[in-house]
Amino acid sequence: MANIQSLRGMKDIIDNDSELFTYFVENCSNIAKKYGYGYIETPILEETALFKRSVGESSDIVSKEMYNFTDKGDHEVCLRPEGTAGVVRWFVQNKKDKAGGQHRVFYHGPMFRYERPQKGRLREFHQFGCESFGEPSVYEDATIILMISEMLNFFKIGFKLQLNSLGDQNCMPQYKENLVEHLNTLTLCEDCNRRIESNPIRVLDCKNESCQNELKNAPKITDSLCESCDTDFTKLKEILDTNGIEYEVDSNLVRGLDYYTKTAFEFVSNNIGAQSAIAGGGRYDRLVEFLGGKPTPGVGFAIGIERLLELIVKNETNEKILYIGAMSQNAIDTVFCAVNTKRKTTKVLTDYKVRGFSKHLNNAQKQGATLVALIGEDEMEHGTIWVKDLETKEENKISIEDF
Ligand code: HAM
């Protein structure tokens, strides 16, 4: 019988990757808390309708990539493809919209999209995200971008920021009309032709080269913004300039989710191959309303954790890892006691098998220990322990009491 394998596009995270993964989540959480965000954990399984209404039926995520099924109670449910919709569902369900004021939450966890797996593109992947509700000021958009920059800088990850404004209900409908009129004069791929009907702005970010050539003279949303959107977009760029955040305005950046208004952005890296987006987000001032709540402004982002793992540079720590072992049967109780005492302050590795000196040393080195302490017959007799610092190579016999 063949052994069971993990599903295609789904990975175990272990060893150095899991070290980096927890390091990343821990430090991003600390930064988010500094900006006033509190942790939220939402269910991984939600009603399918939640994503249809928020991410949008015309998006690839909803139309092609959802892990949806009918559960035993005949409910249409799916594994969440992203984190924003669940957070907004919580916000409305708990009447935070009616309470008013500002609410800021962060989350991390698995997301599921039935995509074609390749480097940097998984079917189960993890995001770290933040969502801010109740703050219409463009300073909040800028703050979010500064926070992501702080996170990426913390891990010494280089990035490029791409920025756009998608307008709002005042300017977007007119822009869409002009765009559709223009698109109808072009020769585009099948996907694009379908999108002219369902969501014309998605045509702008078609990856097909011949479509991009055709689209060269398409009207730009940034030339059609109403006064309020234009003022906010200008202010956002000004704040980023003042704070030394470089960006590139990309009027074709429309994002693959339908809920954005005004600010949309993506952080990209040149060092991870074709799937270069490491974080994405923007403003979604209509989403609370789309999900049945009182109109409330919102803005947020999510970082894709797997794509970043190979880019993270861990700050040097001087963490000591101690390995304690027994070289004779009658030393095991003493070793057990020493391990438990030392664990109150230090990371301790051990092995309860009686082993010779060099076997223990080997074992300790393999597991990344920086200090080795061993007890054998001789040490038991004299109440001592043999200690070696694997970094400085210094070795000593000291009393077990002092140890
Ligand atoms: P998104 O751009 O779809 O946005 O995903 C955010 C990030 O998740 C991407 O930039 C990428 O790093 C990572 N990602 C997406 N798909 C995959 C995949 N198949 N494999 C590996 N990594 C992936 C959102 O999900 C929005 N909810 C972000 C947001 C929050 N907007 C406002 N608030």
Side-chain angles (χ1 to χ4, degrees):
M1 211 179 352
N3 287 342
I4 295 172
Q5 307 283 313
S6 63
L7 296 175
R8 187 153 178 253
M10 305 204 175
K11 283 205 330 199
D12 303 304
I13 304 172
I14 182 79
D15 296 332
N16 192 44
D17 277 354
S18 61
E19 280 282 323
L20 292 173
F21 189 100
T22 47
Y23 178 74
F24 180 80
V25 168
E26 198 180 309
N27 286 292
C28 285
S29 304
N30 288 340
I31 293 172
K33 284 181 200 161
K34 274 199 319 177
Y35 284 75
Y37 287 75
Y39 182 63
I40 184 169
E41 176 92 32
T42 65
I44 289 169
L45 204 59
E46 297 267 10
E47 261 189 57
T48 304
L50 173 64
F51 302 102
K52 287 191 177 166
R53 268 197 244 167
S54 55
V55 176
E57 302 216 40
S58 71
S59 68
D60 285 351
I61 297 178
V62 169
S63 62
K64 302 182 189 161
E65 298 168 1
M66 285 215 289
Y67 277 89
N68 52 330
F69 59 96
T70 311
D71 76 5
K72 291 186 172 45
D74 233 10
H75 306 289
E76 285 299 316
V77 296
C78 74
L79 297 175
R80 63 182 181 195
E82 60 103 53
T84 312
V87 172
V88 177
R89 194 254 323 122
W90 156 80
F91 186 80
V92 176
Q93 185 175 342
N94 289 280
K95 303 192 171 44
K96 303 293 177 194
D97 51 335
K98 309 254 165 31
Q102 292 150 340
H103 302 266
R104 296 189 178 89
V105 293
F106 72 92
Y107 53 88
H108 47 83
M111 309 292 158
F112 301 83
R113 297 182 191 175
Y114 198 86
E115 296 195 75
R116 199 167 41 78
Q118 64 178 74
K119 181 169 160 31
R121 197 205 271 149
L122 294 156
R123 288 181 174 169
E124 182 189 27
F125 60 98
H126 295 75
Q127 287 184 344
F128 182 96
C130 286
E131 312 295 348
S132 162
F133 298 97
E135 182 50 84
S137 165
V138 71
Y139 278 95
E140 190 71 355
D141 309 37
T143 304
I144 290 251
I145 291 176
L146 290 176
M147 173 163 55
I148 304 169
S149 309
E150 181 175 339
M151 288 171 177
L152 297 176
N153 288 335
F154 182 90
F155 304 106
K156 303 188 175 57
I157 295 170
F159 61 82
K160 276 197 186 149
L161 169 60
Q162 295 171 342
L163 200 61
N164 195 16
S165 172
L166 297 174
D168 62 7
Q169 69 261 46
N170 296 316
C171 45
M172 187 41 112
Q174 182 61 53
Y175 170 72
K176 271 190 189 161
E177 252 179 57
N178 299 345
L179 181 66
V180 169
E181 211 171 289
H182 180 79
L183 296 178
N184 281 329
T185 66
L186 307 178
T187 312
L188 298 166
C189 72
E190 207 178 301
D191 262 355
C192 283
N193 283 325
R194 205 168 22 83
R195 283 185 175 137
I196 295 178
E197 298 272 309
S198 60
N199 192 2
I201 61 166
R202 281 301 312 281
V203 173
L204 295 173
D205 78 347
C206 178
K207 301 287 175 278
N208 196 319
E209 212 174 301
S210 81
C211 291
Q212 278 308 323
N213 277 335
E214 286 280 310
L215 288 164
K216 275 195 180 122
N217 296 320
K220 289 187 159 116
I221 175 67
T222 40
D223 294 334
S224 313
L225 297 174
C226 61
E227 201 185 328
S228 130
C229 289
D230 193 45
T231 309
D232 275 356
F233 194 44
T234 305
K235 184 72 197 171
L236 176 62
K237 290 183 283 184
E238 192 187 303
I239 305 171
L240 296 179
D241 287 337
T242 312
N243 285 277
I245 307 277
E246 284 179 30
Y247 56 84
E248 191 182 277
V249 174
D250 176 358
S251 54
N252 286 346
L253 177 78
V254 297
R255 311 267 303 123
L257 309 96
D258 290 354
Y259 48 62
Y260 294 108
T261 50
K262 294 188 165 181
T263 309
F265 58 81
E266 249 167 37
F267 284 73
V268 297
S269 161
N270 288 336
N271 305 320
I272 50 170
Q275 299 306 312
S276 61
I278 49 182
R283 188 163 269 286
Y284 47 83
D285 289 345
R286 315 269 329 263
L287 184 52
V288 171
E289 212 179 323
F290 291 158
L291 292 176
K294 187 175 154 194
T296 308
V299 53
F301 72 93
I303 302 181
I305 304 181
E306 280 85 351
R307 286 189 192 169
L308 285 185
L309 289 184
E310 62 183 282
L311 301 174
I312 292 176
V313 178
K314 216 171 161 187
N315 292 328
E316 281 297 319
T317 57
N318 307 323
E319 194 196 15
K320 293 277 174 219
I321 304 175
L322 175 62
Y323 176 101
I324 311 181
M327 295 188 292
S328 67
Q329 190 62 37
N330 64 347
I332 290 187
D333 279 341
T334 312
V335 163
F336 186 69
C337 175
V339 166
N340 288 319
T341 309
K342 281 292 185 189
R343 274 199 181 134
K344 294 194 169 75
T345 54
T346 313
K347 175 169 172 182
V348 185
L349 308 171
T350 189
D351 179 341
Y352 296 115
K353 250 195 218 104
V354 174
R355 292 178 191 270
F357 181 81
S358 47
K359 280 244 168 82
H360 270 311
L361 220 59
N362 244 335
N363 207 7
Q365 264 158 345
K366 254 195 231 150
Q367 294 185 59
T370 57
L371 280 169
V372 184
L374 300 177
I375 308 177
E377 284 293 344
D378 189 56
E379 287 77 13
M380 282 305 283
E381 212 170 285
H382 297 98
T384 56
I385 184 163
W386 177 87
V387 184
K388 177 168 183 172
D389 186 321
L390 294 179
E391 288 163 339
T392 64
K393 310 285 179 233
E394 198 181 318
E395 48 179 279
N396 278 311
K397 247 186 200 179
I398 54 176
S399 96
I400 188 88
E401 289 296 319
D402 290 349
F403 178 76

